[in-house]
């Protein structure tokens, strides 16, 4: 177990990030068209930088949403159990 709170939180939500990247509704309807438009509008080096940034942004957004879900779930569990 690592002693870094940030790394532990990111690891806790990594599966949520994976699910958001590979969900067919999100990927096919939203992400793939956006990535294709980036590909068509950029040269290889610009696309690479944009794609890496886009992937990191999706990962961080997924982590934030999942951390909110975890906090909400804990709050509800405490309320129900008390």
């Amino acid at each position: 177990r690592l002693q870094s709170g940030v790394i532990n939180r990111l690891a806790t939500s990594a599966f949520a990030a994976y699910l958001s990247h590979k969900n067919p509704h999100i990927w096919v309807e939203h992400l793939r068209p956006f990535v294709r438009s980036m590909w068509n509008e950029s040269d290889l080096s610009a696309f690479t930088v944009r794609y890496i940034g886009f992937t990191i942004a999706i990962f961080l957004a997924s982590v934030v949403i999942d951390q909110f879900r975890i906090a909400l779930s804990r709050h509800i569990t405490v309320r129900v159990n008390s």
Side-chain angles (χ1 to χ4, degrees):
R1 179 168 169 94
L2 292 174
Q3 296 301 318
S4 171
V6 173
I7 291 176
N8 287 336
R9 283 183 181 239
L10 290 174
T12 301
S13 297
F15 186 62
Y18 169 77
L19 291 176
S20 66
H21 276 88
K22 291 303 174 185
N23 182 309
H25 298 292
I26 294 173
W27 176 250
V28 173
E29 295 175 17
H30 302 290
L31 299 180
R32 186 188 301 166
F34 183 73
V35 170
R36 282 186 178 163
S37 70
M38 279 195 312
W39 175 256
N40 291 331
E41 297 169 2
S42 307
D43 62 352
L44 181 59
S45 60
F47 171 77
T48 303
V49 170
R50 287 180 180 174
Y51 188 73
I52 290 170
F54 177 67
T55 303
I56 291 170
I58 295 294
F59 178 80
L60 292 176
S62 299
V63 168
V64 168
I65 292 168
D66 191 54
Q67 289 298 312
F68 176 73
R69 179 200 60 81
I70 290 169
L72 184 62
S73 176
R74 284 184 185 149
H75 179 72
I76 291 171
T77 302
V78 167
R79 296 279 241 177
V80 168
N81 291 334
S82 60

